[in-house]
Amino acid sequence: RDQGRTWSKVKSDLQAGVTAGAVLPDRQFVLVSQTAQVALSHDGARSFKLLNVPVPTLFTGVAGVAGNRLAVVGLGGVTTMSLK
């Protein structure tokens, strides 16, 4: 909106610090945390919903991949998970 000049606090339900985030091709936003949580936004990052995580680990990176999936990077390596 204003190129980052102002910030707003957003409820994400993450229990620890955000370690990475990504904007997906369809304009969804995803955040990952130190406590193996993944939060997804469908509304321009105004709110987030926690996703079920198949292999919990400390996450350090995230990216969108084909087939409506995420690639998450953490202490256990790289894994993919569904956005649903």
Side-chain angles (χ1 to χ4, degrees), residues 2-77:
D2 63 6
Q3 291 74 44
R5 288 190 297 272
T6 59
W7 291 75
S8 299
K9 187 171 184 172
V10 175
K11 183 173 171 53
S12 69
D13 290 330
L14 294 172
Q15 301 295 315
V18 173
T19 54
V23 180
L24 306 179
D26 58 0
R27 302 297 300 157
Q28 294 182 94
F29 290 77
V30 63
L31 304 172
V32 295
S33 78
Q34 299 167 330
T35 55
Q37 293 180 301
V38 178
L40 180 67
S41 174
H42 298 284
D43 62 6
R46 288 185 291 278
S47 65
F48 287 84
K49 178 183 93 168
L50 294 179
L51 300 179
N52 291 326
V53 177
V55 182
T57 187
L58 183 148
F59 293 132
T60 57
V62 62
V65 295
N68 209 26
R69 298 185 65 77
L70 292 175
V72 288
V73 180
L75 295 179

